[in-house]
Amino acid sequence: MNGIIGVNKPQGFTSFDVIAKLRGILKIKRIGHGGTLDPMATGVLPVFIGNATKACDIIPDTSKAYCAGFRLGISTDTLDITGKITAEYSLKVTKKDILDIIPQFTGNIKQIPPMYSAVKIGGQKLCDLARKGIETKRSEREITVESIKLESFDEDSQSGVISVICSKGTYIRSLIDDIGNSLGCGGVMTSLVRTWSGGFSLSDCFTLEEIQELADSGNIENTAIISVECIFSGLPKLRLNEVQTRMYRNGVKLDLKRINNILPDVCEYSVYGFNNEFIGIAGADFENAELRVVKNFI
């Protein structure tokens, strides 16, 4: 069993919990995921099975989309509603206040990873340090927020919903915290649904219960698992002849001048053999005029 399945992660599960559950359902140990979700979050979690796990660290860096609930007027140590309240504010803001300020948080911006996160510093996860009451200095990271849309806001409860399209590595709860602090009233995330990631939309995903049913009926591979080449469909395709296919599959670097359809300044390609079988991902080294294996899946 090889390929990728989009899982609709349930609330209360860590990403690793989902992997452990799927190992039992699918009766296979070689499983990994693309993109960690916090336990309180739900939504799109791409899961890689069998040989497809080789793709976990080379997934194309595409945007992710989220729908997040938020509440203004408080701050917590975890930056979400599950944490300990560290500050409360009497200031009330209007919908217009939020609409006026969110453009400041779009584009290329700096963000400090929250203490309650899986980011490692000195070999230790920040969340492990946070649970011990240790707070350490974190460096700012550049992220890209393509858009923030205020879906709703109730001025009485100071609660609302935003939808966000952003780059990998963006923390939505940090974004809400920063917006709240800029408004002068604090803010916490109350819910989070990832609606798009790794080429999967929420409608493409299956619940754990649905996956169990498909596995029990023997329809899991035909119904829910897609081939690994699908996530690389945005890359230019190279088709090798029979001799090149044999050499490439054995790890031999190929002469770029002898390969058709090489594009100027395009460094990454999906590679197919002479029989149109997907082999893997290759990198074009223009300085040395070589095509090199990045990752083979067969």
Side-chain angles (χ1 to χ4, degrees), residues 178-221:
D178 290 340
I179 291 172
N181 289 336
S182 294
L183 287 167
C185 60
V188 296
M189 186 176 74
T190 56
S191 65
L192 183 66
V193 181
R194 187 156 66 190
T195 57
W196 175 269
S197 179
F200 289 88
S201 68
L202 196 55
S203 61
D204 298 324
C205 295
F206 297 83
T207 65
L208 292 176
E209 291 77 14
E210 289 170 335
I211 293 170
Q212 181 71 71
E213 291 175 4
L214 289 169
D216 291 343
S217 64
N219 294 318
I220 186 72
E221 291 189 70

Side-chain angles (χ1 to χ4, degrees), residues 6 19 35 51 56 100 103 141 182 231 254 259 273 281:
I19 297 305
N51 286 340
C56 284
D100 286 344
R141 298 181 172 192
S182 294
I231 65 168
L254 303 181
I259 300 173
I281 306 303

Side-chain angles (χ1 to χ4, degrees), residues 11-153:
Q11 192 172 49
F13 276 59
T14 66
S15 297
F16 183 77
D17 289 338
V18 172
I19 297 305
K21 183 74 173 176
L22 288 177
R23 282 176 177 150
I25 294 174
L26 302 178
K27 305 296 188 293
I28 186 171
K29 291 184 178 180
R30 200 175 179 189
I31 301 179
H33 67 78
T36 302
L37 277 176
D38 291 339
M40 76 172 289
T42 65
V44 179
L45 181 67
V47 172
F48 297 75
I49 302 165
N51 286 340
T53 54
K54 296 179 182 180
C56 284
D57 59 347
I58 59 168
I59 303 171
D61 193 12
T62 56
S63 298
K64 300 177 188 293
Y66 298 88
C67 185
F70 67 93
R71 176 184 162 191
L72 302 178
I74 61 171
S75 296
T76 68
D77 57 354
T78 60
L79 311 187
D80 61 42
I81 199 64
T82 68
K84 178 183 177 181
I85 294 177
T86 56
E88 296 186 69
Y89 306 81
S90 58
L91 177 67
K92 299 286 187 180
V93 303
T94 65
K95 181 177 182 180
K96 183 179 183 302
D97 292 332
I98 300 172
L99 291 173
D100 286 344
I101 205 167
I102 57 177
Q104 299 178 23
F105 294 90
T106 58
N108 295 326
I109 63 174
K110 300 287 188 179
Q111 188 179 76
I112 298 175
M115 278 302 302
Y116 282 88
S117 67
V119 173
K120 287 186 177 181
I121 292 182
Q124 289 187 292
K125 289 183 179 180
L126 289 177
C127 57
D128 292 337
L129 294 174
R131 292 186 187 105
K132 296 176 183 177
I134 301 171
E135 183 163 353
T136 187
K137 185 177 180 180
R138 291 96 70 202
S139 300
E140 287 186 328
R141 298 181 172 192
E142 185 170 287
I143 59 167
T144 301
V145 178
E146 295 179 29
S147 67
I148 306 175
K149 181 181 178 182
L150 182 62
E151 301 289 352
S152 64
F153 183 67

Side-chain angles (χ1 to χ4, degrees), residues 253-264:
K253 299 170 186 175
L254 303 181
D255 186 348
L256 283 183
K257 301 184 185 68
R258 296 177 179 271
I259 300 173
N260 295 326
N261 302 322
I262 290 289
L263 302 173

